[in-house]
């Protein structure tokens, strides 16, 4: 039996995230029946947003020449920045249909399992030898045999570790009842996730064929707006309504 690690870890992250949100809803006295619909919105937003971003920002020439390939997500090609935009739009649509749920109340709490899901996704990339790091230039590193025989930075594990730490920080923040300003935890999530992503891009192989000669990578350019959004969200966070 062939195990498709990326899909298995992606699904595992979503299922654990669902359990975390169930716990949060029950703890705060919210009906958990809405979670199935919310999960569906988020799942669709993640896949559609991540796929379109990969097509537009990383391999536009290939996909515009082979438009049918855009639908073949099983061949790989998902971009986390687009997935984030898709998730934010999905949550906004969900809140519009459920006005009893406040947008930043939900974003603050969804940031917790989302950090964990991001960790699982990077572990899936590691198992698939995707998004590899630059050669270490020494006798240490990990050899990705599907790529070449050079020891490389296991940048997927670096990212997974950063996202796991972000998950622990946000979960501790929540359990210590620090979510007294709506939007702050969401902003902290954005700064930690995309800030670490920006820094780790320096040891990552180029993901877009056209980015050769860029001062910073496409991934770094795309991370900057999310970091700024996080800073704005934290600075403008308002006291939570009871």
């Amino acid at each position: 039996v062939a195990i498709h690690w990326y899909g298995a870890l992606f699904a595992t992250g979503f299922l654990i995230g669902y359990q975390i949100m169930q716990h949060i809803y029950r703890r705060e006295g919210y009906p958990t029946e809405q979670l199935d619909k919310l999960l569906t919105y988020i799942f669709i937003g993640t896949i559609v947003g991540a796929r379109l971003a990969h097509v537009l920002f990383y391999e536009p020439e290939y996909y515009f020449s082979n438009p049918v390939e855009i639908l073949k997500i099983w061949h790989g090609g998902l971009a986390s920045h687009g997935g984030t935009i898709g998730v934010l739009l999905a949550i906004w649509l969900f809140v519009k249909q459920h006005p009893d749920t406040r947008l930043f109340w939900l974003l603050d709490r969804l940031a917790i399992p989302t950090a964990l899901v991001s960790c699982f996704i990077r572990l899936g990339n590691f198992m698939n030898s995707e998004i590899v790091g630059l050669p270490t230039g020494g006798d240490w590193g990990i050899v990705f045999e599907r790529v070449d025989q050079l020891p490389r930075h296991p940048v997927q594990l670096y990212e997974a570790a950063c996202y796991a730490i972000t998950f622990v920080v946000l979960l501790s923040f929540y359990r210590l009842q620090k979510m007294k300003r709506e939007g702050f935890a969401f902003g902290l999530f954005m700064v930690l996730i995309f800030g670490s992503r920006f820094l780790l891009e320096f040891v990552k192989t180029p993901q877009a064929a056209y980015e050769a000669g860029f001062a910073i990578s496409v991934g770094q350019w795309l991370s900057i707006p999310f970091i700024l959004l996080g800073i704005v969200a934290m600075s403008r966070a308002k006291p939570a309504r009871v």
Side-chain angles (χ1 to χ4, degrees), residues 128-149:
N128 281 0
S129 298
E130 300 166 339
I131 315 179
V132 298
L134 295 171
T136 60
D139 57 359
W140 67 277
I142 291 181
V143 174
F144 296 92
E145 293 185 347
R146 301 182 195 176
V147 180
D148 53 31
Q149 297 300 311

Side-chain angles (χ1 to χ4, degrees), residues 163-193:
Y163 300 162
I165 291 170
T166 301
F167 166 71
V168 172
V169 168
L170 292 173
L171 182 61
S172 301
F173 197 76
Y174 176 75
R175 294 186 67 84
L176 292 172
Q177 315 232 346
K178 296 292 186 181
M179 290 193 177
K180 296 177 181 178
R181 296 172 60 205
E182 288 189 359
F184 188 88
F186 165 70
L188 181 61
F189 165 85
M190 286 290 187
V191 171
L192 291 177
I193 291 290

Side-chain angles (χ1 to χ4, degrees), residues 18 22 25-26 29-39 94 98:
Y18 179 80
Q22 272 195 327
Y25 264 56
R26 287 175 182 148
Y30 281 78
T32 59
E33 292 76 17
Q34 294 181 357
L35 284 176
D36 288 338
K37 186 176 181 180
L38 176 60
L39 181 66
F94 177 85
H98 300 83

Side-chain angles (χ1 to χ4, degrees), residues 6 10 46-54 58 73 76-81 83 122 125 131:
Y6 184 90
F10 188 98
T46 301
I47 298 299
V48 173
R51 185 58 168 176
L52 289 178
H54 179 80
Y58 289 101
I73 60 172
L78 298 174
S80 57
H81 299 91
R122 282 298 178 253
N125 292 138
I131 315 179

Side-chain angles (χ1 to χ4, degrees), residues 60-159:
E61 185 176 348
Y62 170 76
Y63 284 106
F64 291 155
S65 300
N66 305 274
V68 176
E69 291 294 319
I70 296 175
L71 302 176
K72 299 179 181 180
I73 60 172
W74 56 90
H75 287 173
L78 298 174
S80 57
H81 299 91
T84 302
I85 294 173
V87 167
L88 292 176
L89 288 174
I91 294 170
W92 178 77
L93 287 173
F94 177 85
V95 170
K96 290 287 285 185
Q97 295 183 2
H98 300 83
D100 55 319
T101 303
R102 299 191 303 277
L103 177 62
F104 281 102
W105 179 92
L106 186 56
L107 287 174
D108 283 342
R109 285 146 183 82
L110 278 172
I112 301 170
T114 302
L116 185 63
V117 172
S118 300
C119 173
F120 274 74
I121 288 174
R122 282 298 178 253
L123 292 176
N125 292 138
F126 176 76
M127 297 298 292
N128 281 0
S129 298
E130 300 166 339
I131 315 179
V132 298
L134 295 171
T136 60
D139 57 359
W140 67 277
I142 291 181
V143 174
F144 296 92
E145 293 185 347
R146 301 182 195 176
V147 180
D148 53 31
Q149 297 300 311
L150 297 174
R152 294 177 174 273
H153 286 282
V155 70
Q156 314 97 320
L157 297 184
Y158 300 165
E159 281 196 60

